[in-house]
Amino acid sequence: MEYKISNRLKIGAIVLIVLGLLGISYGFIDASSVTEDNITEFLANEDHHGDAYASDSHNSDALHVEDHHGGDAHGASHAEQDHGMSHEEHVLHQIHNRPYSALYIAAFFFFMISLGVLAFYAVQYAAQAGWSPVLFRVMEGITSYVLPGGLIVLAIAFAADSHLFVWLTDGITDVDSDKYDTLVAGKSGWLNKTGFFIRGIIFVAGWSLYRHFSRKFSVAQDNADDNRYFKKNFRIAAAFLVFFIYTESMMSWDWIMSVDPHWFSTLFGWYLLAGMLVCGVTVIAMIAIYLKSKGLLEHVNDSHIHDLAKFMFGFSVFWTYLWFSQFMLIWYSDIPEEVTYFVTRIEDYKLPFFGMIGMNFIFPLLLLMNSDFKRVNWFVIMAGVVILCGHYLDIFNMIMPATVGDRWFIGIPEIGAILFFAGIFLYVVFTALGKYPLLAKRSPFIEESKHFHY
Amino acid sequence: MEASKVIHAIYTDDDILMSAVKKVKAERFHIEEIYTPFPVHGLDKAMGLAPTRLAITAFIYGCIGITVATVMMNFIMIKDWPQDIGGKPSFSYLENLPSFVPIMFELTVFFAAHLMVITFYMRSRMWPFKKAENPDPRTTDDHFLMEIAVHNNEESLTNLLKETGAVEINIVDNNEDAH
């Protein structure tokens, strides 16, 4: 079945991009309106807004002091550096970091969807799944965002520099500088600008190469007279999965965990992977339902949607398992250098931090447990919307506390960035979907997949 | 009223059994029971059996399990003797919640699994020393048996079953194997 991106969708995507750009520019202009000259005035005005807020900010000041004492335990010079920074300077940094963080979170979120789909797609080949070949072209469409999305994330990281990654601050590894940080200096063998971008380019190149060849072989298989291309795809999928699990893990340290360079967690890569997979499967289900509602995926039936919904359910629970394992181990042992990560989140991000558990776990758990509900399209879409919003919050909770601290809000810069990348994502994905027929017609499992019934 | 006689039609292939079931259902005869050596996919649908509600009971048992765990630990750890054990905050259940979650999870699974299995045994009347209800021992090996009650229609029923490919048709007095 041929598909062409409709004009309405194209215009919709462009409108999203334009609106998003406006929001992003507003965010940058708004942030740059506060400078060293007027920061004192700005803070004074803010305190006059209301007593409730004023007392709030006093609380968080107290918290900051506590945090820094936590830092004392492992880096005396680091604590000195923080004490050296005035409150005004600290707030100014947070205000200036916000538009960069908003942009980075949204860019990473949409990139992560397509990377999750790529991993899921490779698993379908490596496992020789019999149910999913009718969805291969949908998955290939979504993975077309891996290359542009990955490059955008790297570009934002490059532009944001020390606004996102403190370890890129000038002089932080220089013993003579007043910004010197022993811990960061000790990690500079891994956390340095050259290494970060070389690794980033290797990751994105490796993923995109697999994506390129897999798509090529998948299309070639349509007109082949044997299963040569399928076998090739099987082999590269297996190799890619090995490459992926290493690079995904390193990517999570580089791109996400390094915003908090004093903190580390061993299961962080898995945790990010689980979120990635659940978002990926959700978007596969949503786009499949959309295309089916247009009558373009005649062989996709309720059972395929049911399977995808089961994966959404299962990966949601898996994500929760990893989230909880990470949280509980750190909470339980309460080691100061690790626990500050969650202290800042619970103190300053109570609603997004715990709201995310409701959205990513309790809601899908109760909604998608019933096997009849998993076959009802609007149920799957509804659960999918909540899951996607929940995982946006998940990334938000990973980045924002490290860059803007308690000065977070989901306002124009954040929503603008979401709209902007949603527009690019839709445009890229639906253009790619229109390039080849939506049925991978000579896949060896296609007959089984067409008659898949659960 | 219970029919005094039943007819046993024996098949040797599950595909033939399936088509026989469809035919018998189409002729509006009531199938009392079917004995098979292994699960035949789609047989319950063809017979028109109601879907099982075992999963719903499991969900309820799981809810009971998580309640038991919560009430138990809230009483022991928070209400009855709130000691300071290694600095854990036992002021309220919520504050110490993460350390209770593993037990809450395990008890939920434990209750859901075990009570559901016991429900299954009770609903399907299975227990040790229970007298087996096999009308024909071959049905545990390689034969399929369909049991239909006879209401003065022996001949038409026999003919119908013969047409469906039954390899053997027996008319059995119900009182013989009262179960």
Side-chain angles (χ1 to χ4, degrees):
Chain A
M1 209 48 92
E2 291 288 346
Y3 170 79
K4 269 277 164 283
I5 179 166
S6 64
N7 266 334
R8 261 184 32 210
L9 196 67
K10 221 183 228 173
I11 292 164
I14 291 168
V15 167
L16 285 177
I17 293 174
V18 171
L19 281 178
L21 270 178
L22 288 176
I24 293 167
S25 335
Y26 171 81
F28 278 101
I29 294 164
D30 192 41
S32 62
S33 70
V34 183
T35 58
E36 277 175 43
D37 303 328
N38 61 9
I39 179 75
T40 323
E41 197 187 330
F42 174 82
L43 283 174
N45 279 338
E46 206 174 45
D47 279 345
H48 286 297
H49 274 313
D51 292 332
Y53 187 80
S55 62
D56 230 29
S57 68
H58 283 304
N59 282 342
S60 52
D61 282 348
L63 179 81
H64 280 304
V65 175
E66 251 172 65
D67 274 2
H68 298 158
H69 283 300
D72 276 342
H74 53 75
S77 52
H78 156 64
E80 257 166 47
Q81 170 241 314
D82 272 356
H83 286 301
M85 200 200 273
S86 71
H87 180 58
E88 278 81 8
E89 204 182 337
H90 187 62
V91 171
L92 192 64
H93 276 302
Q94 292 183 333
I95 291 171
H96 286 175
N97 290 346
R98 185 174 157 201
Y100 287 105
S101 307
L103 203 58
Y104 189 71
I105 293 166
F108 184 81
F109 175 70
F110 283 98
F111 165 70
M112 147 180 132
I113 291 173
S114 62
L115 189 61
V117 173
L118 188 67
F120 190 74
Y121 175 73
V123 169
Q124 300 308 305
Y125 265 108
Q128 305 198 355
W131 67 277
S132 53
V134 291
L135 294 167
F136 275 174
R137 288 292 144 82
V138 176
M139 299 187 206
E140 287 162 15
I142 301 170
T143 57
S144 64
Y145 187 70
V146 165
L147 181 61
L151 292 178
I152 291 171
V153 171
L154 282 176
I156 295 172
F158 190 80
D161 206 75
S162 62
H163 282 294
L164 272 175
F165 304 104
V166 226
W167 50 270
L168 283 174
T169 312
D170 283 331
I172 199 160
T173 56
D174 180 5
V175 196
D176 301 323
S177 166
D178 59 344
K179 292 210 164 84
Y180 179 68
D181 185 322
T182 330
L183 271 177
V184 171
K187 292 182 182 182
S188 61
W190 180 274
L191 288 183
N192 56 71
K193 197 164 190 172
T194 329
F196 180 93
F197 286 102
I198 290 177
R199 284 193 302 274
I201 285 165
I202 293 174
F203 303 156
V204 175
W207 302 330
S208 316
L209 274 177
Y210 166 69
R211 196 267 162 193
H212 172 78
F213 282 108
S214 186
R215 167 75 149 182
K216 194 175 134 189
F217 294 150
S218 170
V219 171
Q221 178 70 24
D222 271 6
N223 303 312
D225 41 18
D226 56 13
N227 290 332
R228 195 171 60 229
Y229 292 108
F230 177 81
K231 287 179 188 160
K232 277 187 183 170
N233 246 344
F234 172 75
R235 275 190 225 112
I236 62 170
F240 165 74
L241 284 170
V242 175
F243 174 79
F244 174 75
I245 205 64
Y246 283 103
T247 48
E248 189 274 336
S249 200
M250 286 189 265
M251 177 273 277
S252 75
W253 310 333
D254 271 358
W255 297 7
I256 304 286
M257 206 161 79
S258 80
V259 295
D260 280 297
H262 283 192
W263 182 79
F264 45 86
S265 163
T266 40
L267 60 69
F268 197 79
W270 285 103
Y271 169 55
L272 199 66
L273 175 72
M276 215 179 248
L277 285 171
V278 69
C279 290
V281 173
T282 303
V283 171
I284 298 174
M286 289 169 121
I287 293 185
I289 289 172
Y290 168 76
L291 291 174
K292 189 164 169 54
S293 75
K294 299 243 155 197
L296 293 162
L297 289 172
E298 54 174 331
H299 296 293
V300 172
N301 55 38
D302 286 353
S303 296
H304 294 103
I305 303 300
H306 189 156
D307 259 29
L308 287 168
K310 275 191 279 190
F311 273 113
M312 283 161 67
F313 176 82
F315 283 133
S316 285
V317 174
F318 180 58
W319 174 88
T320 315
Y321 167 67
L322 292 173
W323 174 82
F324 182 71
S325 302
Q326 179 169 275
F327 172 70
M328 195 263 250
L329 285 181
I330 289 174
W331 173 87
Y332 205 100
S333 57
D334 206 19
I335 298 171
E337 61 186 86
E338 286 178 353
V339 87
T340 48
Y341 186 81
F342 287 111
V343 169
T344 48
R345 277 157 184 79
I346 291 173
E347 293 291 336
D348 299 338
Y349 290 75
K350 205 158 234 134
L351 185 64
F353 189 68
F354 291 110
M356 157 181 107
I357 311 307
M359 291 167 91
N360 291 343
F361 175 59
I362 297 170
F363 187 81
L365 179 85
L366 296 177
L367 204 68
L368 294 177
M369 192 175 319
N370 188 318
S371 62
D372 294 331
F373 291 175
K374 287 193 274 253
R375 303 174 155 255
V376 182
N377 286 352
W378 68 271
F379 253 91
V380 177
I381 294 281
M382 187 169 70
V385 168
V386 174
I387 288 175
L388 289 180
C389 294
H391 283 278
Y392 172 80
L393 273 186
D394 186 23
I395 306 297
F396 187 86
N397 285 329
M398 292 176 186
I399 304 287
M400 280 292 182
T403 53
V404 307
D406 60 340
R407 306 196 72 84
W408 67 273
F409 191 69
I410 299 189
I412 292 173
E414 286 78 12
I415 292 169
I418 295 174
L419 296 181
F420 178 67
F421 287 108
I424 299 184
F425 183 82
L426 288 177
Y427 192 85
V428 171
V429 168
F430 281 92
T431 309
L433 277 172
K435 280 194 183 136
Y436 294 102
L438 286 176
L439 183 69
K441 62 170 189 260
R442 271 207 85 261
S443 168
F445 294 104
I446 198 73
E447 280 308 313
E448 181 183 342
S449 181
K450 280 180 189 171
H451 300 105
F452 174 66
H453 166 76
Y454 167 75
Chain B
M1 200 190 86
E2 275 278 300
S4 60
K5 278 182 179 175
V6 291
I7 198 157
H8 283 173
I10 295 180
Y11 300 85
T12 50
D13 186 281
D14 49 342
D15 284 339
I16 296 170
L17 174 76
M18 281 293 281
S19 61
V21 169
K22 280 170 195 155
K23 214 177 229 170
V24 170
K25 288 298 278 187
E27 297 285 331
R28 307 198 147 272
F29 284 108
H30 177 69
I31 301 171
E32 294 281 325
E33 194 65 89
I34 293 180
Y35 297 86
T36 65
F38 52 78
V40 177
H41 188 74
L43 188 59
D44 52 341
K45 279 223 177 74
M47 286 172 74
L49 297 182
T52 173
R53 288 169 297 184
L54 213 50
I56 300 170
T57 67
F59 180 77
I60 295 167
Y61 297 146
C63 294
I64 296 172
I66 201 166
T67 312
V68 167
T70 310
V71 170
M72 174 183 80
M73 288 184 294
N74 186 48
F75 175 71
I76 297 174
M77 304 301 290
I78 310 293
K79 292 279 179 306
D80 190 33
W81 196 350
Q83 289 185 98
D84 182 341
I85 304 168
K88 284 276 160 295
S90 40
F91 308 110
S92 74
Y93 194 75
L94 209 57
E95 272 176 285
N96 212 355
L97 182 70
S99 51
F100 300 142
V101 165
I103 294 158
M104 289 162 73
F105 171 75
E106 293 294 348
L107 279 186
T108 308
V109 174
F110 179 87
F111 272 65
H114 288 81
L115 292 183
M116 177 178 72
V117 167
I118 292 168
T119 308
F120 168 71
Y121 285 154
M122 287 167 66
R123 286 293 290 151
S124 41
R125 298 162 202 283
M126 288 191 345
W127 52 81
F129 311 113
K130 148 112 182 180
K131 192 174 175 298
E133 289 171 2
N134 258 335
D136 190 318
R138 288 175 299 172
T139 58
T140 63
D141 182 14
D142 59 350
H143 284 62
F144 304 80
L145 188 150
M146 190 196 296
E147 183 179 288
I148 302 173
V150 180
H151 299 279
N152 302 324
N153 51 0
E154 257 178 66
E155 204 154 325
S156 60
L157 201 51
T158 315
N159 288 336
L160 173 72
L161 289 171
K162 266 189 190 141
E163 272 174 46
T164 62
V167 292
E168 200 179 308
I169 294 171
N170 304 319
I171 295 175
V172 184
D173 218 327
N174 220 2
N175 302 328
E176 276 175 25
D177 60 345
H179 46 70

